[in-house]
Amino acid sequence: MHQDIDWPIRVAAMDALQRLVRQYGEVLPWELIDAGFPYQGETLHFANRARGIFWPRHMRETALSIKTTVPRQGREARYDDLRSNDGFQYRFQGTDVESRDNRRLVRGMEWDVPLIYFYGIEPGTYRPIWPVYISEVNPSELSFTVVTAPQDAQLLEPGLHVADPKLLSLERRYATVQMKKRLHQAAFRQHVLRAYSQRCAVCRFPRPELLDAAHILPDRDERGRPEVPNGLSLCKLHHGAFDADLLGIHPDGIIEIAPRLLAERDGPTLEYGLKGFAGKPLEVLPEAKSQRPRRDYLAARYERFRQAS
Ligand SMILES: [Zn+2]
């Protein structure tokens, strides 16, 4: 067992990241990450724009973070990696496992040190995941396997604690599958909200904090993939009404309100916020046709609304 001499920097970085996420949410723009974190009166970086594998120069032996980026062109990132139940595949820097950058990760694996993974969600936008660990080196695929640990797990300094390796690997496997689901949802939300210019499709309400990416076909439907044409950007009120089949959307994009709600009388939220939209078309739709709700998805969902009414 080896003691991690870079440990204090790692802990400072993860604490600072925790504060950022608490303040700004799980998905961070690069500008916030690039501002770095305080350490012994200096500002250190979390990551580097140009490099995938990064450590501040104070770190002697392993790396601090890894990063994947969504390229500007081909903005529709593909998340094939998220569909498997195994760890994340992280590409070598170049092709030589002995290169300076890759060696830092190999050492990180040997010592089981926790790293930060800046997972690219959109160009310039990352979901930081920590702690992650390098679990394998795959020389023939030129990649590392990266797994995560339960979010609430206490961060233990490697070398000082003896863990049951079998239990540890099971826990990490499970946590990795959960994290992949969350990443998929985060990517879906990000893409749908952007396609709708951060507004509710029904009422144009513009605060992202109160907007959701609603699924047209639910997750459990095998067609219900987390892709923009299966999504609608909806405010909390209209998302709730849509999911409760109090608000339906005709395949032609016309909003319908459940008859039982139309028959009720109440204050302005019911009158203007719900009933007022009956018979009107969706207010906001994505500019690109390929991003708009798929008609057959809307039709299947509308059928459910009709039956519930
Ligand atoms: Zn709304």
Side-chain angles (χ1 to χ4, degrees), residues 199-205 210-211 233-239 247 273 277:
R199 284 181 181 273
C200 173
V202 170
C203 68
R204 302 188 65 86
F205 186 79
L210 294 177
L211 292 175
S233 169
L234 293 176
C235 70
K236 299 280 180 193
L237 175 65
H238 292 131
H239 187 194
L247 181 154
F277 290 103

Side-chain angles (χ1 to χ4, degrees), residues 96 100 102 105 151 166 188 198 258 293 298:
D96 182 8
R100 196 173 74 115
N102 294 331
L105 289 194
Q151 291 264 294
K166 212 167 163 186
F188 177 63
Q198 323 279 333
L298 283 177

